[in-house]
Amino acid sequence: MNEQKRTRREEGQSLIIVGALLIVLIALVGLVVDAGNAYAQRRIVQNATEAAALAGTQMLGHQEDYRWGGDFLRNYQVIEAVWDYAERNGASAEDVDIFYTDINGNVLANAEFDLGWQTIINADTFNGVKPEGIRVEANRSFDTYLVRVIGRNEMTASGTAHGVLACGACSASGLFPIAVHVGTFADNGGFPVIGQEYRIWGDKTGPGSFGYLSWNFDPGHTSETTLVANMADTSRSGYWKVGDNIPCGPGVQNSNSVKTELKYRIDNRIDLTPPRYRDVILPVFDYTSGQGANLTYHIVGFARFELQCYHFANNSQGQYGSCTFDQGDTSKWISGIFKSWVEPSGESGCTNYGVCTAKLRPPLEEKRVLMGNVVPWRVFVVENAVPGPPQPVDVVHVLDISGSMCAHWDGSPHKSPPCTNGERIQIAKGVLTAFNDALENADWDPNDAIQVGLATFPKIQSTSTYNTQCYNDIRALGGPCTSDPSSDCGKSNNLLYFANKNKNLTTNIASVNTIINGLQANGGTPIPLGLQYGREMLADPAYRNPNNLPILILTTDGMPNIKINGYWSGYRGNYTRPYWVVLSGCNNDVYDAAIEQANLAKQQGVIVFAIGIHQTIDTELMTAIASPDTDPSKPHFFQADSPDDFEGIFESIAQRLPGLGNEECIANENATQGNAAVVRLYDSGGNLVATTTADSSGGYIFDLTSLNLGPGTYELRASWLDYSFDPPVEYDVMTWALGGPPAEEPITVVVPEGTGTTLKDLYLRTDQQFTCE
């Protein structure tokens, strides 16, 4: 009996043990099953946070983009982008928390709880710190399976991701074959204003080039057929990076095939194969090297551009798009707006022209770097280029007919037009027509091959009212900028000032004189556009004589105060720039544009004479515009202190013309690469802190992180030796613009907080006198 009870007791204990073991076994199996599920859930949540963080970070790339109905980026747009991609990848909006961060990952604010739905997202919102990252944290609950037997009904999967926005693309592929000059953005400190219309001006980028690109240095790849193919399929461009030199596609090509491809882009024809998107990536360049088919563009960055219209001729076949086309406009251009853009690939850290990258990590190069290129404005001497009899010439007068040309020679107040009785414009008419008569009757031109053309400035057009840059900039500095004519600048204007191609090159010189005699003076002083139109006329194959020596003669009494786009800078054109104008720099880009246009003319082989009327003309600017001298007795810049001086200057040029091609030592100038240039870096106290040597392409780099140098203002000095001369010629005169006058102040650069690359190109010229001996 006792034995039976013992047996039953042991059997009951076995059942309990087995039951306990079953629970343990189920729990163990449940842990395996639910652990696998938990891993899968965490992977889902992590994928969702990464996708959401990237989406929010990409949205940050539109902080300065006006495409949102004319408004800035708002907080709700970032939140909705994060929610959208979180939900697409398995997490709900309720699961995620969204944080704005700086470039280093420091949290600036919780998007949902610290900011309003309509809060503008930019640096102003975060006390001057730019939001450059989105951190997304997610916690997602899910039901368990077998581990419920131990009381665990649900588990939580967590994920964290940090997206970082890094702007300033250092490389790009899929480029549209047009290069845009960095000077296009001079009004905004060298950076495009997002949403503002820009014209990419025809024949402005380099000698004989519109800015079209080829992707191959083989001259056989510069045909119009290749250009059209590159326009249609941007994948043909391959991969390019900052510092590369991209070959050009020569000429202002505007065939029906080119115009058709531009129309496809403007119309956003995504139904075609390959699709023709309106938005394209353009390389940004700072200078060109070479000429014709050998011209190259030096790349400093990349920008996103929305094509809107083109203008190649003033008729229905030569223009297309949504722009306003002015009657009589003879210039060639493509117009559109620059846009913010975030590329999914590539690396950033170079100069920011609006193209950024969004990644789940900081930029690969977490360094503070200062780099750029040394670009000497090199003098080339050409001895007796065309030996033999006198060479005929193509002469284009670029004549200032601005309002100040109504003044008397001594500077006494000018009259309102019409100008009469000995004012500057009347004297200029007499001197120029006498000069032209001397050419027409020249006995050294037996075949009557000499041609003369005429360009004048300004040509005035109406536009909507705008505040001038000098007004805005000088007021911001606390300067005396009012509508008072005696102040340093003007407030608003509703006029555009262009130039005019009055008469193309012709052997009928009397017809040019007829136009000169009918001129009147009024308006601003767009010297850059006058020089651009003059050099275009000398390069126009429809009129130029390829056997003639091209000559451009600029005659002006004022200072340039009209930007290359026709807008008045606000500077009133006094002979010497007032203190506030110099301090603000509000007219500097006009000066730089004038020098740039003269540079392009000289690179085309044009001999440039610059004649300044009045004693207070800016002699340094005019000297930079003129061709270099090789003989002090035969200058290219002249200052006319009196009407008699003025007449004598033109007589001396007329006497020199027969020998320019075969007697005078001709010198010209061009940009070159500062191979092995020495670059020195100084701190704000003037102490030398680093020295480096440029590479074979003229590129220099200072790794400020390795040098333990922080953000701040630094001075740069450079020198380069041209060993093509014996002894070598030293280029050590620093200039603000390529080919410009010597810089009055040290060349400085501001290195900002944080990591990344600061770009600063250095321009050099020499003060050595060149001769042919």
Side-chain angles (χ1 to χ4, degrees):
M1 186 70 179
N2 292 333
E3 187 68 27
Q4 291 177 345
K5 289 181 178 179
R6 188 182 306 115
T7 302
R8 286 196 296 268
R9 190 182 305 120
E10 290 175 353
E11 290 174 350
Q13 290 174 346
S14 298
L15 289 173
I16 294 172
I17 293 171
V18 171
L21 289 173
L22 285 174
I23 293 173
V24 172
L25 181 61
I26 292 170
L28 290 174
V29 173
L31 285 175
V32 173
V33 173
D34 284 306
N37 182 45
Y39 176 82
Q41 293 294 333
R42 281 196 296 272
R43 185 67 263 166
I44 291 171
V45 172
Q46 185 61 35
N47 288 342
T49 58
E50 292 178 358
L54 280 176
T57 305
Q58 289 180 7
M59 191 62 66
L60 282 182
H62 300 291
Q63 289 177 55
E64 300 177 25
D65 197 337
Y66 291 84
R67 68 192 182 104
W68 306 106
D71 204 348
F72 291 99
L73 177 66
R74 304 280 175 164
N75 186 36
Y76 78 87
Q77 294 169 309
V78 177
I79 293 173
E80 289 183 344
V82 172
W83 285 352
D84 179 25
Y85 276 81
E87 290 174 349
R88 291 190 193 189
N89 290 274
S92 67
E94 291 77 15
D95 295 333
V96 300
D97 288 312
I98 308 166
F99 303 90
Y100 292 100
T101 76
D102 63 14
I103 189 66
N104 297 314
N106 299 311
V107 173
L108 302 176
N110 185 304
E112 298 175 80
F113 299 106
D114 297 337
L115 304 174
W117 194 248
Q118 293 287 341
T119 299
I120 295 173
I121 302 303
N122 57 25
D124 294 339
T125 299
F126 303 99
N127 298 317
V129 178
K130 184 179 179 182
E132 295 183 82
I134 294 293
R135 180 182 177 88
V136 177
E137 298 177 356
N139 292 287
R140 180 172 182 269
S141 298
F142 58 94
D143 294 335
T144 60
Y145 294 109
L146 297 179
V147 296
R148 288 174 176 269
V149 299
I150 58 174
R152 190 73 180 271
N153 295 327
E154 67 177 27
M155 299 176 69
T156 301
S158 299
T160 300
H162 182 210
V164 179
L165 180 73
C167 294
C170 295
S171 60
S173 59
L175 303 180
F176 194 68
I178 292 180
V180 57
H181 187 247
V182 68
T184 305
F185 318 129
D187 288 359
N188 192 45
F191 304 98
V193 176
I194 302 302
Q196 176 178 307
E197 181 184 348
Y198 286 88
R199 287 184 178 180
I200 302 174
W201 293 87
D203 198 28
K204 175 180 180 293
T205 60
S209 179
F210 187 82
Y212 290 137
L213 300 175
S214 173
W215 309 124
N216 193 302
F217 284 91
D218 183 348
H221 287 260
T222 60
S223 68
E224 186 173 283
T225 302
T226 301
L227 172 63
V228 171
N230 291 340
M231 285 181 159
D233 185 1
T234 56
S235 68
R236 292 166 56 99
S237 76
Y239 177 87
W240 295 88
K241 61 184 185 299
V242 168
D244 286 343
N245 291 283
I246 303 182
C248 82
V252 184
Q253 302 182 59
N254 56 4
S255 68
N256 287 335
S257 297
V258 171
K259 288 185 285 191
T260 296
E261 284 302 327
L262 287 172
K263 287 179 181 179
Y264 287 160
R265 293 282 176 179
I266 293 168
D267 293 338
N268 206 39
R269 291 291 302 277
I270 61 175
D271 58 306
L272 300 176
T273 302
R276 313 302 206 272
Y277 294 104
R278 184 180 296 123
D279 289 356
V280 295
I281 295 289
L282 304 183
V284 181
F285 75 98
D286 57 351
Y287 66 88
T288 62
S289 299
Q291 298 186 35
N294 296 318
L295 185 78
T296 62
Y297 299 91
H298 179 258
I299 303 305
V300 295
F302 303 92
R304 189 78 172 183
F305 189 69
E306 179 185 297
L307 292 160
Q308 294 184 330
C309 55
Y310 66 76
H311 182 279
F312 292 124
N314 196 31
N315 55 56
S316 59
Q317 288 76 37
Q319 56 193 31
Y320 185 80
S322 58
C323 301
T324 299
F325 302 104
D326 299 321
Q327 290 295 322
D329 185 1
T330 60
S331 59
K332 299 177 177 65
W333 42 265
I334 295 172
S335 181
I337 62 173
F338 287 92
K339 304 172 73 172
S340 297
W341 192 256
V342 180
E343 285 289 342
S345 61
E347 289 298 328
S348 294
C350 295
T351 306
N352 178 19
Y353 298 105
V355 178
C356 307
T357 64
K359 296 186 180 297
L360 296 173
R361 55 167 172 76
L364 290 178
E365 292 293 328
E366 291 193 74
K367 295 181 179 180
R368 183 181 295 112
V369 172
L370 171 61
M371 63 181 295
N373 298 278
V374 180
V375 190
W377 188 234
R378 185 184 180 195
V379 177
F380 296 88
V381 177
V382 182
E383 268 188 276
N384 298 327
V386 185
Q391 184 180 5
V393 291
D394 280 347
V395 176
V396 169
H397 293 285
V398 178
L399 178 62
D400 182 351
I401 57 170
S402 62
S404 60
M405 287 290 285
C406 272
H408 289 282
W409 207 273
D410 61 5
S412 57
H414 68 79
K415 300 179 179 180
S416 299
C419 310
T420 57
N421 303 324
E423 286 85 1
R424 296 170 185 173
I425 183 65
Q426 298 301 330
I427 295 172
K429 289 180 183 181
V431 170
L432 264 66
T433 53
F435 174 86
N436 291 344
D437 286 340
L439 294 183
E440 189 165 37
N441 299 317
D443 56 10
W444 54 272
D445 180 34
N447 297 321
D448 293 328
I450 292 176
Q451 297 190 115
V452 175
L454 174 67
T456 61
F457 57 87
K459 176 183 178 182
I460 304 174
Q461 298 179 6
S462 298
T463 188
S464 55
T465 301
Y466 58 92
N467 275 0
T468 67
Q469 185 176 348
C470 282
Y471 178 81
N472 292 333
D473 291 357
I474 295 177
R475 292 270 294 185
L477 290 170
C481 195
T482 69
S483 57
D484 183 349
S486 64
S487 70
D488 292 340
C489 62
K491 178 180 180 180
S492 61
N493 198 24
N494 62 353
L495 298 175
L496 297 176
Y497 305 89
F498 296 102
N500 190 32
K501 296 178 181 178
N502 305 72
K503 185 69 175 179
N504 283 305
L505 287 165
T506 179
T507 56
N508 185 1
I509 299 177
S511 66
V512 179
N513 283 349
T514 298
I515 297 173
I516 291 175
N517 287 325
L519 295 174
Q520 290 294 335
N522 192 25
T525 314
I527 291 177
L529 283 167
L531 290 169
Q532 177 189 334
Y533 283 21
R535 69 174 181 80
E536 287 177 357
M537 294 167 69
L538 285 166
D540 192 336
Y543 298 96
R544 67 178 295 268
N545 186 332
N547 297 316
N548 289 8
L549 190 66
I551 310 290
L552 187 153
I553 303 177
L554 169 68
T555 302
T556 180
D557 74 333
M559 304 295 173
N561 60 359
I562 306 297
K563 303 173 187 295
I564 200 73
N565 60 5
Y567 282 81
W568 179 36
S569 71
Y571 167 47
R572 293 192 176 277
N574 299 320
Y575 295 115
T576 55
R577 290 184 288 174
Y579 167 76
W580 283 105
V581 174
V582 175
L583 180 63
S584 69
C586 62
N587 198 55
N588 287 355
D589 56 312
V590 183
Y591 272 58
D592 293 348
I595 293 167
E596 177 193 18
Q597 292 302 320
N599 291 349
L600 292 173
K602 287 180 274 189
Q603 289 180 84
Q604 292 172 205
V606 175
I607 298 174
V608 180
F609 290 97
I611 302 171
I613 294 174
H614 200 269
Q615 295 177 348
T616 52
I617 200 78
D618 189 327
T619 58
E620 288 190 340
L621 172 67
M622 296 294 280
T623 301
I625 288 173
S627 292
D629 301 333
T630 57
D631 183 343
S633 68
K634 296 178 180 179
H636 294 82
F637 160 63
F638 299 88
Q639 185 171 350
D641 295 336
S642 68
D644 288 341
D645 285 345
F646 187 54
E647 183 177 3
I649 288 166
F650 271 90
E651 288 177 352
S652 70
I653 294 175
Q655 293 169 4
R656 288 169 58 185
L657 288 182
L660 279 181
N662 61 358
E663 294 178 8
E664 284 195 22
C665 171
I666 298 175
N668 224 322
E669 297 168 304
N670 207 337
T672 193
Q673 297 172 336
N675 177 19
V678 176
V679 184
R680 297 177 176 87
L681 184 67
Y682 297 81
D683 63 19
S684 57
N687 303 304
L688 178 66
V689 293
T691 302
T692 191
T693 301
D695 61 22
S696 60
S697 65
Y700 74 90
I701 184 169
F702 289 106
D703 185 342
L704 302 184
T705 302
S706 299
L707 294 169
N708 294 318
L709 297 175
T713 301
Y714 294 88
E715 179 187 349
L716 288 160
R717 303 176 195 171
S719 60
W720 176 73
L721 292 175
D722 183 0
Y723 287 98
S724 65
F725 291 87
D726 186 16
V729 174
E730 184 174 23
Y731 287 72
D732 59 354
V733 178
M734 307 287 292
T735 64
W736 280 108
L738 179 62
E744 298 175 356
E745 301 292 336
I747 303 298
T748 59
V749 59
V750 177
V751 177
E753 295 279 354
T755 60
T757 300
T758 301
L759 184 69
K760 183 67 176 179
D761 286 340
L762 305 177
Y763 304 115
L764 299 175
R765 67 183 314 154
T766 183
D767 55 7
Q768 182 169 326
Q769 176 68 52
F770 284 82
T771 67
C772 289
E773 298 177 357

